[in-house]
Amino acid sequence: MSKIAVIGSNMVDLITYIERMPAQGETLEAPRFAMGCGGKGANQAAAAALLGADVLMLSKVGDDGFADTTLANFQRLGIDSRFVERVPGVSSGVAPIFVQENSHNSILIVKGANAHLHPADIDRAEAQLRDCALIVLQLEIELASVYHAIEFARRHAIPVLLNPAPALAGLSNDHLALLDFLIPNESELALISGLQVNSAADAAHAARTLVAKGVRHVIVTLGEQGALYVGAEGEWQVPGVKVEARDTSGAGDAFIGCFARHWSRDADIRQAMQQAVAYSACSVTGLGTQSSYPDAETFARFLDASAR
């Protein structure tokens, strides 16, 4: 059984490529604009599906044209979207993204319909969720729904992965202790642990404090330095894959989706991390979020080229 359930957000990305951010009151001309499908939940579902996973998505869309775009994208990717429902009188989620020449990005999110994914929606999908090997969560939906999903997963003995993004302080220790996987980046880890994270050594120390609180496996994404594991199986770091980055938007979600796909199939954490580090690196060589994610065949070619 390797079906993955993603309970989380979807957005339509409004991507502007810029030379620099304007100062207050300043107007600048930007050289390029693109629109694509995004949102942390949908991105992670898309990455897993592109790599061949059987994915079930629970999410909410508005009653606007953006909803049509999102639903058509799920269908194109082969994602089971029977529980992606429209909310009357509410906009879909959108994410204006500003990408600078150095590939760094700044993002705003408007939750829109994503704020209407409630605990009752999770309960209504119980029969389908119980057939899943992993439940994947993020923090772009209401926190009460995230906590309910964690409790649901524990009650039904389903492994659960939380990507604590966007970063949020004050997460419940009781719910963190129910997690099988917690996968933050360095800034998210610092906020959750309350410790400074300025190096891989700092990250390892902060991760240990979360393992001590009950999290079974903490995986810290380190950007171009790869990823760090601290947990029940020991400690190790998977090095990064060197690439020429063009756009880092969605790279963290690419990591999560790839990791979920491989771990749900083989239950090998180190191997899943190695694949996820490479997949994330591959994604930053393209532009956009989901538009930069390779399918299984393209990713295999990237791995072959990287090994030479």
Side-chain angles (χ1 to χ4, degrees):
M1 182 175 65
S2 59
K3 189 168 189 175
I4 298 165
V6 178
I7 302 175
S9 62
N10 69 86
M11 303 274 179
V12 170
D13 291 338
L14 308 173
I15 308 165
T16 304
Y17 294 90
I18 61 176
E19 296 174 355
R20 63 174 177 86
M21 292 292 287
Q24 184 175 345
E26 182 183 21
T27 299
L28 294 175
E29 181 179 348
R32 186 167 177 265
F33 172 82
M35 186 171 75
C37 292
K40 299 198 72 63
N43 288 346
Q44 293 167 17
L50 283 164
L51 291 170
D54 185 3
V55 181
L56 173 70
M57 184 78 196
L58 274 69
S59 194
K60 297 283 185 176
V61 293
D63 59 359
D64 49 23
F66 289 146
D68 298 333
T69 299
T70 295
L71 291 168
N73 187 57
F74 285 144
Q75 183 176 13
R76 178 184 66 83
L77 292 167
I79 293 171
D80 184 345
S81 58
R82 74 183 84 176
F83 296 110
V84 180
E85 300 171 331
R86 294 178 186 265
V87 182
V90 175
S91 73
S92 295
V94 296
I97 301 173
F98 304 92
V99 181
Q100 300 184 58
E101 287 184 321
N102 62 6
S103 82
H104 293 166
N105 60 73
S106 301
I107 304 174
L108 297 170
I109 63 169
V110 181
K111 281 187 178 179
N114 290 297
H116 294 260
L117 182 61
H118 301 305
D121 298 310
I122 297 167
D123 293 337
R124 286 193 293 104
E126 177 177 350
Q128 288 74 26
L129 289 172
R130 287 175 66 179
D131 288 336
C132 292
L134 180 66
I135 290 177
V136 178
L137 301 163
Q138 324 78 33
L139 298 178
E140 282 184 338
I141 60 174
E142 296 301 292
L143 193 56
S145 297
V146 173
Y147 287 162
H148 187 79
I150 293 171
E151 294 163 2
F152 177 98
R154 176 51 65 96
R155 190 163 60 249
H156 293 287
I158 306 167
V160 61
L161 181 162
L162 174 64
N163 170 222
L168 184 64
L171 291 177
S172 159
N173 287 330
D174 290 342
H175 289 91
L176 289 175
L178 299 178
L179 297 174
D180 294 275
F181 294 98
L182 179 69
I183 307 185
N185 63 21
E186 293 164 281
S187 62
E188 292 153 3
L189 175 63
L191 192 61
I192 294 169
S193 67
L195 300 171
Q196 288 190 348
V197 178
N198 298 315
S199 66
D202 288 347
H205 173 63
R208 289 184 203 112
T209 68
L210 298 177
V211 172
K213 292 180 179 180
V215 183
R216 289 194 66 209
H217 310 289
V218 178
I219 298 170
V220 187
T221 56
L222 302 172
E224 62 186 17
Q225 295 181 52
L228 171 72
Y229 172 85
V230 176
E233 298 189 8
E235 296 186 15
W236 65 75
Q237 184 170 343
V238 173
V241 176
K242 291 185 178 180
V243 296
E244 184 174 342
R246 298 176 65 200
D247 182 356
T248 60
S249 303
D253 296 331
F255 182 100
I256 299 290
C258 182
F259 178 87
R261 191 273 179 275
H262 285 278
W263 183 85
S264 66
R265 185 183 64 183
D266 302 322
D268 185 328
I269 295 175
R270 191 190 294 264
Q271 191 268 347
M273 286 178 63
Q274 291 168 343
Q275 293 288 313
V277 164
Y279 191 80
S280 178
C282 183
S283 78
V284 305
T285 64
L287 297 177
T289 49
Q290 291 179 32
S291 59
S292 72
Y293 295 171
D295 59 18
E297 183 178 344
T298 303
F299 182 47
R301 290 198 298 269
F302 174 82
L303 290 175
D304 286 343
S306 299
R308 291 176 193 153

